[in-house]
Amino acid sequence: MALLTFPTYNVIIIKKRGGVTMKDIYIVAECFLYQSSMTHKKLEKLCYYAQAWYLANFGEPLMPNRFEAWIHGPVSPDLYHKYKEWGWTYIPQSKNCPKMEPQEMFIINQVYNVYGHYTADELENMTHNELPWKKAREGCQPFEYSRNPISTKDMRDYYGARINKVYE
């Protein structure tokens, strides 16, 4: 497992939830933006996959922020409100990457290596074919507004099964 090295970030924001210290979604997003400029929609999907694969591998969330099953795939309302003014234009590449724990950075780098070459629309289509988003959208029409949360348990179990991890 070779990890990339990144310059340190001025301030790391952490939140406590249930006694577990987690990185905020803005920190994870900054790591992806350090790797390349991208649209808000693509950033949302990469952060979603970072959360999903962290849950699958370690059984706990990377971030305390929730994801909802919006029309265009998983969205974190917190991240949406920070970057919504960018619309469909590219958010500039970041000059800094926050300092992360090795296992956190490993997942972020793996997610970027696997999903980073896809467009935002391709990532949207992928999430639309995966159980956690589909389950959260049950009862919704394809273009119906939804703020239904995507269950972290569903994410953990679905992506965990893809790497042969079973959680009780």
Side-chain angles (χ1 to χ4, degrees):
M1 151 169 101
L3 297 177
L4 301 174
T5 58
F6 295 96
T8 58
Y9 193 74
N10 295 340
V11 178
I12 291 187
I13 302 168
I14 56 175
K15 289 186 175 182
K16 290 225 178 215
R17 183 174 181 177
V20 176
T21 303
M22 293 181 260
K23 297 297 185 283
D24 194 278
I25 195 165
Y26 309 119
I27 299 298
V28 174
E30 195 76 16
C31 288
F32 285 121
L33 288 170
Y34 181 76
Q35 297 189 50
S36 72
S37 174
M38 64 188 73
T39 64
H40 176 238
K41 183 174 164 182
K42 181 172 182 173
L43 183 59
E44 288 281 358
K45 305 313 169 253
L46 291 177
C47 287
Y48 168 78
Y49 278 124
Q51 179 82 314
W53 287 109
Y54 197 88
L55 282 159
N57 280 277
F58 304 109
E60 59 187 33
L62 172 62
M63 311 165 267
N65 312 80
R66 82 183 209 163
F67 285 87
E68 296 176 351
W70 289 20
I71 292 169
H72 294 288
V75 172
S76 164
D78 297 325
L79 194 61
Y80 174 80
H81 290 296
K82 179 170 181 168
Y83 291 106
K84 68 182 175 184
E85 74 268 7
W86 288 96
W88 299 104
T89 61
Y90 277 60
I91 301 166
Q93 187 169 2
S94 175
K95 292 181 174 38
N96 298 305
C97 182
K99 184 171 173 41
M100 304 285 278
E101 295 298 321
Q103 72 184 26
E104 296 167 341
M105 203 67 234
F106 177 74
I107 294 295
I108 289 167
N109 286 333
Q110 288 297 100
V111 165
Y112 187 79
N113 290 338
V114 171
Y115 297 100
H117 68 280
Y118 291 106
T119 67
D121 289 337
E122 290 170 328
L123 293 171
E124 174 184 338
N125 289 332
M126 284 182 206
T127 62
H128 283 200
N129 290 305
E130 296 171 342
L131 181 73
W133 182 84
K134 287 167 73 171
K135 189 171 177 184
R137 293 279 305 175
E138 284 178 357
C140 295
Q141 296 300 314
F143 293 101
E144 183 180 349
Y145 174 82
S146 165
R147 297 273 327 256
N148 296 346
I150 299 174
S151 161
T152 54
K153 181 185 180 311
D154 289 343
M155 292 165 69
R156 182 199 67 192
D157 294 349
Y158 176 78
Y159 295 98
R162 292 175 64 180
I163 57 172
N164 297 318
K165 279 201 162 191
V166 178
Y167 292 95
E168 300 284 323

